[in-house]
Amino acid sequence: MYLTDLTDAQKEYIKGTILMDNWRSKYDFFLILDAIIYIDVSGSQWRLLPEEYPKWQTVYYYFRRWGA
């Protein structure tokens, strides 16, 4: 989708290193992660997150939660 999106090899590596059994969200883990990486690399504002990703509020929620 975007140049900042994780490759399949990167996703497989992450699956092997992060315990993802407890992921309970209607959004895919990697879609959220790709959105956070997009914001970080592009320097874009949260509210300008492309529509292909979940709402910016959802992505920001996980960004704050994982950063704590």
Side-chain angles (χ1 to χ4, degrees), residues 24-62:
R24 306 281 186 253
S25 176
K26 72 177 190 177
Y27 298 105
D28 179 60
F29 173 83
F30 291 107
L31 187 62
I32 299 289
L33 189 56
D34 282 340
I36 292 171
I37 294 170
Y38 175 87
I39 291 290
D40 182 49
V41 172
S42 71
S44 179
Q45 296 176 2
W46 288 103
R47 293 175 189 260
L48 297 178
L49 191 64
E51 292 180 6
E52 292 84 1
Y53 295 118
K55 291 182 179 181
W56 73 267
Q57 295 95 329
T58 303
V59 177
Y60 184 72
Y61 166 80
Y62 285 106

